[in-house]
Amino acid sequence: MAHTPVTLTNARVVTPDGVHDGWLRVENGRVAALGSDAPSPGASPGEVRDLAGSWVVPGLVDTHIHGGAGHAFPEADPEGVREIVAFNRRHGVTSLVGGLVAATPEDTVRQVAALAELCDAGELAGIYLEGPFIARSKCGAHDPELLRDPDTAEFDRWLKAGRGHVRMVTVAPELPGALDLIGAAVSSGVVAAVGHTDAGYEQTLAAFDAGATVATHVYNAMRPLNHRDPGPIAAALNDGRVTLELIMDNVHVHPGAAALVFAAAGADRVSLVTDAMSATGLGDGEYTLGDLRVRVSGGEARLVENGAIASSTIVLPRAVRNAVEGLGVGVPEAVRSASSVPAAALGLAGAGRIEVGGHADLVVMSKGLTVSDVMYQGAWTA
């Protein structure tokens, strides 16, 4: 599909190598050139935009999200999924991995199959299963009655239904069969994540040794960090093989604890995620997450039944801004944590990066890090 060429001048471009001050040219949906001097007009100059020093960052990548704009991925409704995707694209998130929660075996297979169709269509970058192989004691906003021990036969049914689009599964390492499930995931090209767990330090290290490479929303739904019982948090922080998800909404994790993650692991091991639900982009009120009722008040989502934090209602650029403004993380580092780091953790080739020849998924952010324009595959979104 041909697009009108676009040249963005006077821009601060966040690339894999750092910040590039100058200009960026887009042709035929891809980044055609980067430069620091005056841009060459080329054979067809097309549109030229002077950004007056604004940031140009890669399209952001949310690998842990359950919904938005009044819809949820577990509903497996194609039109609803498209609305979630469109809402996020308008806000600068150009790659999404559709997140499912614990459900019956039959419903899970049905949901995976439906989302696989949307992956085939290019709407989603993959499918993520946060349940059902998680601990009842750390179930969070998952229905404990739907949780079960890891089962490689059930996992194989997901793989068949997903047709290569299942990207990640969360497992509690202390459950019977957990290490076998992690091994099956890794051998199938699926990322295994450790989360919703009461595992000890050594149990968690065993999961990482078995091939798990992600810590699901670190701190949340995990055995707490203790100096004599360090648990999964310390195990993940100390292991350079592990990418740590962090919900940077200032509700799930106190900024002081979030700063510790950045300081201990470094931005290149932190993956900013939203864990967002259907209420994102809407007002306060009652919603559902899976089969559970959730009340949103002041943007904070909690289960009606017991008051547990359910999901967030932020979009990923807010997490970037919170990291920069609240923690003092540099803009390039915070952007990487919301783009190239999650993309690399889940093997999403080409996503979350600005480089010559790559897809032109770009976000223009003001100096205050508010999104002003979004380009998806070379075309400006509405």
Side-chain angles (χ1 to χ4, degrees):
M1 179 178 179
H3 298 273
T4 302
V6 178
T7 303
L8 306 178
T9 65
N10 196 12
R12 304 204 72 198
V13 184
V14 177
T15 73
D17 300 323
V19 178
H20 173 89
D21 291 311
W23 57 269
L24 177 152
R25 185 169 177 80
V26 174
E27 295 177 357
N28 297 320
R30 293 184 178 271
V31 177
L34 290 164
S36 299
D37 51 1
S40 169
S44 176
E47 179 186 4
V48 177
R49 288 197 185 189
D50 186 332
L51 299 185
S54 291
W55 295 97
V56 177
V57 308
L60 303 187
V61 179
D62 199 342
T63 55
H64 188 150
I65 175 173
H66 298 290
H71 303 278
F73 291 117
E75 295 167 355
D77 171 57
E79 189 53 42
V81 170
R82 292 188 186 98
E83 291 193 26
I84 298 170
V85 171
F87 168 79
N88 274 273
R89 281 183 187 159
R90 289 195 300 272
H91 288 81
V93 187
T94 56
S95 297
L96 297 176
V97 175
L100 300 176
V101 297
T104 66
E106 297 76 17
D107 281 345
T108 299
V109 168
R110 177 182 58 81
Q111 292 163 355
V112 169
L115 294 189
E117 295 285 344
L118 291 148
C119 293
D120 286 340
E123 297 289 345
L124 294 176
I127 303 165
Y128 161 51
L129 291 108
E130 191 171 7
F133 304 146
I134 57 178
R136 282 176 172 254
S137 62
K138 298 294 181 183
C139 63
H142 294 257
D143 186 343
E145 298 305 314
L146 294 172
L147 305 184
R148 43 201 182 270
D149 290 340
D151 182 338
T152 55
E154 181 174 356
F155 176 74
D156 286 342
R157 290 194 290 275
W158 302 348
L159 293 183
K160 183 177 180 180
R163 303 191 312 279
H165 295 300
V166 174
R167 288 285 183 176
M168 184 166 68
V169 56
T170 290
V171 183
E174 70 273 24
L175 297 180
L179 297 188
D180 289 339
L181 193 287
I182 290 170
V186 172
S187 66
S188 301
V190 175
V191 174
V194 167
H196 285 273
T197 176
D198 200 27
Y201 185 83
E202 288 76 15
Q203 285 175 310
T204 307
L205 288 183
F208 296 148
D209 287 339
T213 54
V214 171
T216 301
H217 47 48
V218 68
Y219 291 118
N220 297 114
M222 283 186 174
R223 178 184 291 209
L225 179 65
N226 181 282
H227 63 294
R228 292 194 188 92
D229 179 16
I233 297 169
L237 288 173
N238 289 336
D239 197 318
R241 300 170 293 182
V242 177
T243 299
L244 296 94
E245 290 185 351
L246 185 63
I247 305 174
M248 197 66 231
D249 63 349
N250 295 337
V251 174
H252 281 75
V253 179
H254 188 282
L260 175 62
V261 175
F262 274 97
D268 287 338
R269 286 180 53 215
V270 177
S271 173
L272 294 177
V273 298
T274 63
D275 195 19
M277 63 170 294
S278 60
T280 305
L282 306 178
D284 291 349
E286 285 204 9
Y287 301 86
T288 58
L289 182 62
D291 293 328
L292 302 179
R293 290 193 304 145
V294 176
R295 181 176 294 114
V296 178
S297 177
E300 185 174 314
R302 292 183 177 272
L303 292 183
V304 171
E305 182 180 357
N306 59 18
I309 293 177
S311 286
S312 88
T313 60
I314 65 168
V315 188
L316 202 49
R318 166 59 70 178
V320 172
R321 194 156 62 250
N322 286 345
V324 172
E325 295 178 351
L327 308 184
V329 177
V331 172
E333 291 77 17
V335 166
R336 287 202 304 271
S337 289
S339 55
S340 60
V341 173
L346 267 66
L348 307 180
R353 301 168 66 87
I354 296 177
E355 51 195 355
V356 174
H359 287 292
D361 296 343
L362 311 173
V363 183
V364 180
M365 285 181 154
S366 70
K367 295 175 183 178
L369 300 180
T370 58
V371 173
S372 57
D373 284 296
V374 180
M375 177 180 285
Y376 176 65
Q377 296 186 357
W380 297 110
T381 61

